[in-house]
Amino acid sequence: GRRGDPQVLMSALGFVPDEVLVYILQAHDARGAARQIARRCRKLVDANFNVRYIRPPAGKFFIVDFEVNDNLAKDLYCAQVGERELSDGSSMTGLVTFLHWLPAFCRSRVQRDVCHSLQESDGCALWKLISKVREHRDEMAIPMEASMNSKVGHLTVSEGQGGDARQVIGRLSTSETQMLLSVLDYRRNSHAQPLAAAA
């Protein structure tokens, strides 16, 4: 019953030697989050690991337009993540609208959007991935493997409530495309919660 209680966790950490805690953190992906548990954890993470700071989105809100071409079809994703104007607190939760678009002559029925929500951890992961893509973006041409593959994504990101800071990042590599799809695509992200379909 009380295993998830932060006070129980804090008292249990008091019995773990620093060296053991460092070994545990080495095997843990979310070392940045571990810094928030206690001052001791923060000191151990800061002393033993390179923690990379990622600038938050302007206005703590961003919009992602992501398109993946597949011959005649397109998978279109529009995600809105972060604090809304009427929000009551800081949150990186989001909403994603997905459409598998086909040309009119290929459609057998009316196409419908699929909407789902993203948890805060997904919103943060998405922003980290976008920051990583921006950071590692090569000013030259995209890798040959990406340009030869039709299933790569095209990414545009807008920051702030008014979308004032809009950046067309452009065509991504296959690996970058797969990383973004692991968060945006409800068929790959088991944490995505379905919402009522749009008409």
Side-chain angles (χ1 to χ4, degrees):
R2 294 193 57 199
R3 287 189 310 179
D5 187 345
Q7 289 179 340
V8 172
L9 179 62
M10 294 295 291
S11 63
L13 283 176
F15 297 106
V16 178
D18 286 355
E19 298 80 19
V20 173
L21 198 50
V22 169
Y23 282 123
I24 292 169
L25 290 169
Q26 285 174 340
H28 198 279
D29 288 338
R31 289 188 275 279
R35 296 173 78 238
Q36 298 174 3
I37 295 173
R39 284 190 191 130
R40 179 175 171 225
C41 289
R42 177 181 292 271
K43 287 179 182 177
L44 286 173
V45 169
D46 290 347
N48 293 284
F49 304 98
N50 290 330
V51 178
R52 193 176 61 140
Y53 175 77
I54 296 176
R55 175 190 64 79
K60 297 181 183 175
F61 183 82
F62 66 99
I63 298 172
V64 173
D65 290 308
F66 191 53
E67 176 182 311
V68 181
N69 293 321
D70 184 11
N71 296 322
L72 291 175
K74 293 176 189 277
D75 285 342
L76 307 171
Y77 303 84
C78 180
Q80 298 181 11
V81 180
E83 288 184 11
R84 311 297 188 289
E85 288 178 357
L86 302 175
S87 173
D88 56 357
S90 149
S91 175
M92 288 294 284
T93 58
L95 301 172
V96 178
T97 303
F98 165 75
L99 175 67
H100 181 71
W101 181 89
L102 292 166
F105 64 88
C106 294
R107 295 179 202 155
S108 60
R109 58 187 164 83
V110 175
Q111 293 181 286
R112 296 192 185 275
D113 294 345
V114 176
C115 299
H116 61 277
S117 63
L118 293 178
Q119 295 181 356
E120 187 163 15
S121 58
D122 291 325
C124 291
L126 182 59
W127 183 251
K128 287 178 185 177
L129 287 171
I130 291 167
S131 299
K132 186 176 180 180
V133 167
R134 283 175 164 168
E135 187 177 297
H136 295 106
R137 197 80 181 133
D138 187 8
E139 298 297 327
M140 308 289 280
I142 58 170
M144 185 60 77
E145 55 92 18
S147 60
M148 299 298 283
N149 186 339
S150 63
K151 291 190 178 187
V152 293
H154 186 277
L155 178 64
T156 301
V157 179
S158 303
E159 295 183 54
Q161 291 288 343
D164 302 327
R166 183 174 186 269
Q167 179 186 13
V168 177
I169 294 175
R171 195 170 181 147
L172 304 184
S173 69
T174 304
S175 61
E176 291 169 336
T177 298
Q178 295 307 312
M179 286 190 302
L180 267 98
L181 287 175
S182 70
V183 177
L184 287 173
D185 195 325
Y186 71 98
R187 297 165 295 186
R188 299 179 189 209
N189 182 351
S190 61
H191 300 291
Q193 299 296 315
L195 301 173

